Amino acid sequence: MLNLLLVSPKRESLSDLASGLVEHADVSVLWAESGKKALEIISDTIVHMVIADEKLGDMTGLQLAEKLLKINPMINCAIISPLSAEAFHEASEGLGIMAHLPVKPGKKQAEGLLNKLKKLKGLEAGVKDA
Protein backbone atom coordinates (compact mmCIF):
# COMPACT_ATOMS: atom_id res chain seq x y z
CA MET A 1 0.00 0.00 0.00
CA LEU A 2 1.28 3.46 -0.93
CA ASN A 3 0.40 6.25 1.50
CA LEU A 4 0.12 9.65 -0.18
CA LEU A 5 -0.34 12.81 1.84
CA LEU A 6 -2.17 15.70 0.17
CA VAL A 7 -1.50 19.04 1.85
CA SER A 8 -3.74 22.03 1.17
CA PRO A 9 -5.91 24.43 3.15
CA LYS A 10 -8.36 24.18 0.20
CA ARG A 11 -9.17 20.48 -0.05
CA GLU A 12 -11.52 21.03 -3.01
CA SER A 13 -8.60 22.34 -5.12
CA LEU A 14 -7.06 18.85 -5.03
CA SER A 15 -10.29 16.86 -5.38
CA ASP A 16 -9.70 15.83 -9.02
CA LEU A 17 -6.17 14.71 -8.20
CA ALA A 18 -7.40 12.80 -5.14
CA SER A 19 -10.13 11.03 -7.10
CA GLY A 20 -7.54 9.91 -9.66
CA LEU A 21 -5.31 8.55 -6.90
CA VAL A 22 -7.98 6.63 -4.98
CA GLU A 23 -9.02 4.76 -8.13
CA HIS A 24 -6.02 2.54 -7.39
CA ALA A 25 -6.63 -0.17 -4.80
CA ASP A 26 -3.01 0.01 -3.63
CA VAL A 27 -3.15 3.75 -2.79
CA SER A 28 -4.25 5.38 0.44
CA VAL A 29 -4.79 9.15 0.53
CA LEU A 30 -4.27 11.12 3.72
CA TRP A 31 -5.05 14.83 4.11
CA ALA A 32 -3.48 17.74 6.00
CA GLU A 33 -4.67 21.35 5.91
CA SER A 34 -1.31 22.92 6.82
CA GLY A 35 2.41 22.31 6.74
CA LYS A 36 2.47 21.86 10.50
CA LYS A 37 -0.25 19.19 10.35
CA ALA A 38 1.61 17.44 7.51
CA LEU A 39 4.77 17.30 9.61
CA GLU A 40 2.76 15.83 12.53
CA ILE A 41 1.28 13.13 10.29
CA ILE A 42 4.71 12.26 8.89
CA SER A 43 6.10 11.82 12.40
CA ASP A 44 3.44 9.17 13.16
CA THR A 45 2.72 7.55 9.79
CA ILE A 46 4.69 6.04 6.92
CA VAL A 47 4.19 8.36 3.96
CA HIS A 48 5.59 7.54 0.52
CA MET A 49 4.79 10.86 -1.14
CA VAL A 50 3.71 14.34 -0.09
CA ILE A 51 1.79 16.43 -2.60
CA ALA A 52 1.65 20.02 -1.39
CA ASP A 53 -0.23 23.05 -2.59
CA GLU A 54 1.74 26.22 -3.34
CA LYS A 55 0.47 28.04 -0.23
CA LEU A 56 -0.39 26.15 2.95
CA GLY A 57 -1.35 29.00 5.26
CA ASP A 58 1.55 28.52 7.67
CA MET A 59 4.26 28.02 5.03
CA THR A 60 4.69 27.46 1.31
CA GLY A 61 4.86 24.08 -0.37
CA LEU A 62 8.55 24.67 -1.07
CA GLN A 63 9.21 25.44 2.60
CA LEU A 64 7.44 22.20 3.53
CA ALA A 65 9.62 20.32 1.02
CA GLU A 66 12.71 21.79 2.64
CA LYS A 67 11.54 20.69 6.12
CA LEU A 68 10.71 17.20 4.79
CA LEU A 69 14.18 16.92 3.27
CA LYS A 70 15.71 17.55 6.70
CA ILE A 71 13.38 15.09 8.47
CA ASN A 72 13.36 12.26 5.94
CA PRO A 73 15.02 12.71 2.54
CA MET A 74 13.40 9.46 1.33
CA ILE A 75 9.89 10.95 1.23
CA ASN A 76 9.04 11.86 -2.34
CA CYS A 77 7.52 15.28 -2.83
CA ALA A 78 5.43 16.99 -5.51
CA ILE A 79 4.55 20.68 -5.38
CA ILE A 80 1.69 22.51 -7.04
CA SER A 81 2.86 25.81 -8.48
CA PRO A 82 1.86 28.27 -11.22
CA LEU A 83 5.55 28.97 -11.95
CA SER A 84 7.00 28.07 -15.34
CA ALA A 85 9.14 24.93 -15.45
CA GLU A 86 12.33 27.03 -15.53
CA ALA A 87 11.27 29.33 -12.67
CA PHE A 88 10.12 26.34 -10.60
CA HIS A 89 13.42 24.54 -11.17
CA GLU A 90 15.28 27.64 -10.02
CA ALA A 91 13.11 28.04 -6.90
CA SER A 92 13.21 24.36 -5.94
CA GLU A 93 16.80 23.46 -6.81
CA GLY A 94 18.37 21.24 -4.17
CA LEU A 95 15.08 20.22 -2.55
CA GLY A 96 14.80 16.86 -4.32
CA ILE A 97 11.29 17.50 -5.58
CA MET A 98 9.99 14.67 -7.74
CA ALA A 99 7.32 16.61 -9.63
CA HIS A 100 6.03 20.10 -10.37
CA LEU A 101 2.26 20.05 -10.75
CA PRO A 102 -0.01 22.66 -12.33
CA VAL A 103 -2.67 24.53 -10.38
CA LYS A 104 -5.79 22.30 -10.13
CA PRO A 105 -4.07 18.98 -11.00
CA GLY A 106 -6.34 16.18 -12.18
CA LYS A 107 -6.44 12.50 -13.03
CA LYS A 108 -3.75 12.81 -15.71
CA GLN A 109 -1.30 14.15 -13.13
CA ALA A 110 -2.40 11.47 -10.64
CA GLU A 111 -1.47 8.75 -13.15
CA GLY A 112 1.85 10.43 -13.91
CA LEU A 113 2.75 10.69 -10.22
CA LEU A 114 1.84 7.07 -9.54
CA ASN A 115 3.87 5.92 -12.54
CA LYS A 116 6.94 7.78 -11.27
CA LEU A 117 6.49 6.67 -7.68
CA LYS A 118 5.91 3.01 -8.55
CA LYS A 119 8.94 2.98 -10.83
CA LEU A 120 11.02 4.34 -7.98
CA LYS A 121 9.59 1.75 -5.61
CA GLY A 122 9.81 -1.09 -8.15
CA LEU A 123 6.02 -1.55 -8.26
CA GLU A 124 5.34 -0.80 -11.92
CA ALA A 125 2.61 -3.37 -12.60
CA GLY A 126 -0.94 -2.12 -12.75
CA VAL A 127 -0.36 1.56 -13.49
CA LYS A 128 -1.91 3.07 -16.61
CA ASP A 129 0.25 5.17 -18.93
CA ALA A 130 -0.18 8.86 -18.27
Side-chain angles (χ1 to χ4, degrees), residues 2 24 26 111 114-129:
L2 293 173
H24 298 271
D26 60 344
E111 292 298 327
L114 287 177
N115 276 326
K116 285 182 182 181
L117 183 60
K118 288 183 177 190
K119 283 180 183 176
L120 283 172
K121 300 282 183 194
L123 305 169
E124 293 181 63
V127 179
K128 300 177 210 167
D129 286 331

Side-chain angles (χ1 to χ4, degrees), residues 1-126:
M1 178 69 70
L2 293 173
N3 292 324
L4 309 183
L5 177 59
L6 302 183
V7 188
S8 178
K10 301 171 287 183
R11 194 171 178 151
E12 67 280 355
S13 69
L14 301 184
S15 61
D16 290 343
L17 178 71
S19 67
L21 295 170
V22 297
E23 287 179 358
H24 298 271
D26 60 344
V27 172
S28 172
V29 174
L30 307 165
W31 288 90
E33 67 281 349
S34 68
K36 181 182 179 193
K37 183 66 177 169
L39 294 170
E40 289 172 9
I41 290 170
I42 288 165
S43 71
D44 296 334
T45 308
I46 294 172
V47 173
H48 299 97
M49 180 187 294
V50 172
I51 303 164
D53 217 338
E54 176 187 26
K55 295 178 183 171
L56 306 175
D58 58 350
M59 64 184 76
T60 67
L62 290 174
Q63 289 169 328
L64 176 61
E66 186 174 2
K67 291 178 186 287
L68 290 173
L69 186 62
K70 292 175 183 174
I71 294 169
N72 182 350
M74 298 307 291
I75 295 176
N76 297 287
C77 194
I79 304 292
I80 296 161
S81 173
L83 294 174
S84 69
E86 185 177 306
F88 183 81
H89 176 75
E90 187 72 28
S92 65
E93 193 168 4
L95 297 179
I97 295 174
M98 188 174 108
H100 168 209
L101 300 175
V103 175
K104 296 287 273 178
K107 291 185 179 188
K108 178 181 177 184
Q109 287 80 23
E111 292 298 327
L113 284 174
L114 287 177
N115 276 326
K116 285 182 182 181
L117 183 60
K118 288 183 177 190
K119 283 180 183 176
L120 283 172
K121 300 282 183 194
L123 305 169
E124 293 181 63

